Amino acid sequence: MKRAFSLRRGEDFQRAWDGGKSWSHPLVILRIRTNSLSINRFGFVAGKKLGNAVARNRAKRRLREAMRHRLTQIASGYDIIVIARTGVVRATFNELDTAIETLIQRAGLPKRD
């Protein structure tokens, strides 16, 4: 995922965290807030409950990849935070991909043609 698509500044991340709406799945939580940009920005979170640094980084890489497949399907203008839950460590990539797809649908993010 390109650097332009990531939430980098702490205040942007905090604004999306505090003012966003959330949807949950047993594997992932999605927090979304509108931004005034023409692109979507993403942040990925994996807490210490997931395990050591290797497990947390692996979880974030897998979430990034699952989200990357959906970039063209998501309407633009959102800050999106994807939070890994403990089940992500044991889940297959297909389960993770399905969880992301489900949350995108529930949040009403798909592009409308």
Side-chain angles (χ1 to χ4, degrees):
M1 194 172 291
K2 292 183 180 180
R3 187 167 168 88
F5 296 140
S6 66
L7 287 169
R8 292 186 303 261
R9 294 180 25 209
E11 57 263 18
D12 290 340
F13 203 94
Q14 193 64 45
R15 196 176 309 122
W17 188 273
D18 291 338
K21 189 165 183 206
S22 67
W23 289 267
S24 65
H25 184 275
L27 298 176
V28 180
I29 299 171
L30 201 64
R31 290 187 78 91
I32 299 169
R33 183 174 192 268
T34 58
N35 62 27
S36 58
L37 305 171
S38 62
I39 61 169
N40 291 326
R41 297 185 301 178
F42 296 90
F44 296 90
V45 178
K48 288 196 174 186
K49 285 184 180 181
L50 256 59
N52 62 9
V54 173
R56 293 192 306 268
N57 288 332
R58 183 171 190 257
K60 289 188 284 187
R61 279 195 313 270
R62 294 174 74 205
L63 288 172
R64 271 189 216 103
E65 183 62 19
M67 191 59 81
R68 187 181 67 82
H69 289 288
R70 309 270 181 242
L71 286 179
T72 58
Q73 302 169 1
I74 300 174
S76 59
Y78 294 98
D79 288 341
I80 301 169
I81 299 175
V82 182
I83 306 160
R85 290 181 132 176
T86 54
V88 167
V89 176
R90 292 178 307 281
T92 65
F93 184 76
N94 287 336
E95 292 171 339
L96 205 62
D97 196 42
T98 303
I100 295 288
E101 174 67 25
T102 301
L103 289 175
I104 288 172
Q105 294 293 328
R106 285 180 35 204
L109 288 179
K111 275 188 182 174
R112 289 170 175 74
D113 294 327

